[in-house]
Amino acid sequence: MESSDEESVDRRRVHLRPFTLRSPAPVTLHLLPCEVPVSRPAPVGRFFTPAIRQGPYGLEASFRGRSLRGEEVAVPPGLVGYVMTEEQGEVSVGKQDFSEGSEEDHELEEQEVMESPETLERDFDRFIGATASFSSFTLWGLETIPGPDSKVRGALTWPSLAAAIHAQVPED
Amino acid sequence: MDRRDGACGRQHVFLVPEYLKDASKKMKNGLMFVKLVNPCSGEGAIYLFNMCLPQLFEIKVFKEKHHSWFINESVQSGGLLHFATPMDPLFLLLHYLMKAGKEGKFQPIDQVVMDDVFPNCILLLKLPELEKLLRHVTEEKEIDKKKYYKYSKEKTLKWLEKKVHQTVAALKTNNVNVGARVQSTAFFFGDQASTDKEEDYIRYAHGLISDYIPKELSDDLSKYLKLPAPPASVPNPPSKVAAQRQQKNK
């Protein structure tokens, strides 16, 4: 592995604030079959939500004059959905900066990291928190509901496969 | 994490195991995303560590062209869906053991799991039952109450074979289509296709597990499982597609 490039060293950790996972507000999520190139506030409740109708083949709505068909999709059992947002600005909670110091000190400090969860947070780390949670979302397709072979639905079966791949195997 | 747009408050849509929510009630901190090595490609990948359990989670990203989210009263471009699923840390340890194994000598594990590029790999040493895990893929020696380990290809292949079989079982219970050939043979020949089918399952499971091991080991495993050379067009397993997308997304 190339390790000569100092720039490529990645010590940074992004801490997920556990308290934000406890009871975040529920969120309404729609997965649209089109790319909106920017991320920003949008009056979804004024234009999109009131136009949703229950049709004979699922939910009906329109976006930019195109007809959409959709369906409520549940988060697979055993999982919970979160919307996470990174905290902005410089957060200064760090205990130590490991970038300086001799090799010996370095090892000592790493030891401390292992021992105490408090020292897991350092100056240069960043923070992220859940702002909302969900147990289902609305999946939209252009003119038809995305079928059982759609990639989204395939992806939702991943956690159950992953569980088998990563389960511990018995020793001989 | 994708940092493409500098706009404030980029929102990430995540699916995580429910028990993390319960675990979070007891912890003040110790949940963190870190960059560690991807044991298949050797490049960086994002993982989630829970230092309280402790447990390692892999992050996979679903990304398909032409998707966006409406999240309450906002729009989030990209339509990314992140999955955090428990990961067997032995795949990551194996990456380091194989590298150290080239020297062919017994070493303490803290001298094996060292990485200038991904220094957070030291978190792996904190995992419970580390010694039990290592027994699957290494020979060990104890001198003065200190354990020394050496990569064993033979034991690793045995361990991987068990992984393949438990993955095959999951593919069957989840009714995953392991290839177009399965359907067509089953359609035309009914039950006679059962032996072919088993081979397809094993090949598919081998493909899934190959996402977590280097190419050379994947080839050895293929021989060990006595898999014939694959037919011309093997469809990519879903996780492979996801993993490739995840890399492109970096």
Side-chain angles (χ1 to χ4, degrees):
Chain A
M1 187 181 299
E2 294 297 323
S3 57
S4 55
D5 187 3
E6 286 292 322
E7 296 290 322
S8 65
V9 172
D10 209 328
R11 317 186 144 272
R12 203 156 49 180
R13 299 165 178 175
V14 180
H15 298 268
L16 174 56
R17 304 262 194 210
F19 71 87
T20 64
L21 300 180
R22 280 166 218 171
S23 51
V27 67
T28 307
L29 279 181
H30 299 275
L31 186 55
L32 302 176
C34 60
E35 174 77 42
V36 182
V38 289
S39 303
R40 62 177 177 208
V44 177
R46 188 143 64 99
F47 292 104
F48 189 73
T49 322
I52 299 173
R53 301 264 178 278
Q54 183 67 53
Y57 306 106
L59 301 169
E60 302 176 1
S62 68
F63 183 59
R64 293 178 178 164
R66 305 288 297 270
S67 152
L68 305 182
R69 292 287 179 277
E71 178 174 85
E72 196 77 356
V73 172
V75 167
L79 297 177
V80 54
Y82 287 112
V83 175
M84 296 188 195
T85 312
E86 218 174 287
E87 291 173 15
Q88 295 300 307
E90 292 296 305
V91 192
S92 186
V93 288
K95 300 288 187 284
Q96 317 152 308
D97 189 335
F98 296 153
S99 56
E100 302 294 325
S102 71
E103 197 68 276
E104 267 174 29
D105 284 342
H106 195 89
E107 264 177 38
L108 203 73
E109 283 167 344
E110 304 275 42
Q111 278 291 320
E112 280 176 37
V113 168
M114 306 301 285
E115 247 98 74
S116 154
E118 266 66 44
T119 53
L120 289 169
E121 297 173 6
R122 293 94 41 99
D123 282 339
F124 49 91
D125 285 347
R126 290 181 292 143
F127 289 83
I128 194 170
T131 47
S133 69
F134 61 96
S135 54
S136 69
F137 61 91
T138 314
L139 174 63
W140 294 98
L142 193 60
E143 274 153 23
T144 55
I145 298 174
D149 294 337
S150 67
K151 285 195 175 143
V152 194
R153 293 187 200 271
L156 290 171
T157 64
W158 166 244
S160 59
L161 270 188
I165 294 168
H166 296 288
Q168 294 305 315
V169 305
E171 281 187 80
D172 285 327
Chain B
M1 299 291 111
D2 194 338
R3 305 272 294 154
R4 187 176 36 185
D5 62 358
C8 64
R10 188 182 167 80
Q11 301 177 91
H12 307 273
V13 180
F14 263 90
L15 293 183
V16 309
E18 221 164 15
Y19 56 76
L20 263 186
K21 183 176 181 167
D22 300 325
S24 72
K25 287 172 186 152
K26 294 174 207 117
M27 54 203 291
K28 215 170 117 243
N29 57 15
L31 264 183
M32 53 200 183
F33 294 98
V34 294
K35 203 178 216 180
L36 298 172
V37 72
N38 173 325
C40 174
S41 67
E43 289 166 20
I46 302 289
Y47 298 86
L48 176 64
F49 240 111
N50 179 350
M51 293 310 292
C52 292
L53 285 176
Q55 192 176 24
L56 176 72
F57 299 88
E58 172 186 29
I59 307 297
K60 272 197 193 288
V61 186
F62 162 79
K63 188 182 199 299
E64 194 178 16
K65 258 189 189 167
H66 311 305
H67 279 90
S68 314
W69 287 107
F70 277 162
I71 303 173
N72 279 347
E73 297 295 295
S74 71
V75 59
Q76 176 65 55
S77 69
L80 270 54
L81 180 57
H82 301 72
F83 291 85
T85 52
M87 163 128 182
D88 187 344
L90 195 44
F91 286 116
L92 283 176
L93 293 165
L94 190 59
H95 167 85
Y96 293 105
L97 286 161
M98 285 180 77
K99 274 210 305 191
K102 300 224 157 77
E103 294 161 43
K105 52 181 190 198
F106 286 86
Q107 290 182 75
I109 192 67
D110 53 356
Q111 283 177 32
V112 171
V113 183
M114 288 201 299
D115 199 323
D116 294 336
V117 184
F118 307 109
N120 284 318
C121 70
I122 54 155
L123 295 170
L124 291 168
L125 302 174
K126 177 89 175 160
L127 291 162
E129 303 191 305
L130 188 63
E131 291 186 5
K132 208 177 136 197
L133 282 175
L134 292 171
R135 232 172 279 156
H136 286 295
V137 298
T138 60
E139 305 287 346
E140 63 175 62
K141 248 189 208 174
E142 197 174 319
I143 303 163
D144 295 336
K145 301 216 168 134
K146 182 142 177 77
K147 294 256 169 104
Y148 295 79
Y149 299 91
K150 191 173 84 172
Y151 168 64
S152 160
K153 184 164 137 184
E154 194 194 346
K155 290 181 87 173
T156 301
L157 287 172
K158 265 191 196 162
W159 170 69
L160 287 170
E161 186 186 27
K162 289 180 192 165
K163 285 266 177 196
V164 165
H165 289 308
Q166 77 188 21
T167 305
V168 164
L171 288 169
K172 287 178 179 170
T173 44
N174 286 293
N175 291 319
V176 176
N177 282 332
V178 291
R181 212 170 128 236
V182 175
Q183 282 169 319
S184 58
T185 49
F187 184 73
F188 288 115
F189 304 109
D191 287 340
Q192 283 180 336
S194 60
T195 49
D196 274 349
K197 210 173 160 179
E198 186 64 24
E199 186 192 297
D200 285 333
Y201 275 112
I202 292 172
R203 179 179 293 122
Y204 196 93
H206 171 264
L208 287 173
I209 284 169
S210 295
D211 276 351
Y212 298 97
I213 53 177
K215 176 81 171 62
E216 51 173 305
L217 187 56
S218 167
D219 292 344
D220 286 340
L221 180 61
S222 178
K223 277 178 219 145
Y224 188 76
L225 296 167
K226 301 188 180 65
L227 279 175
S233 66
V234 180
N236 266 343
S239 79
K240 254 198 164 126
V241 177
Q244 282 161 5
R245 284 168 199 283
Q246 188 180 9
Q247 276 165 24
K248 268 183 221 146
N249 194 28
K250 291 275 150 65

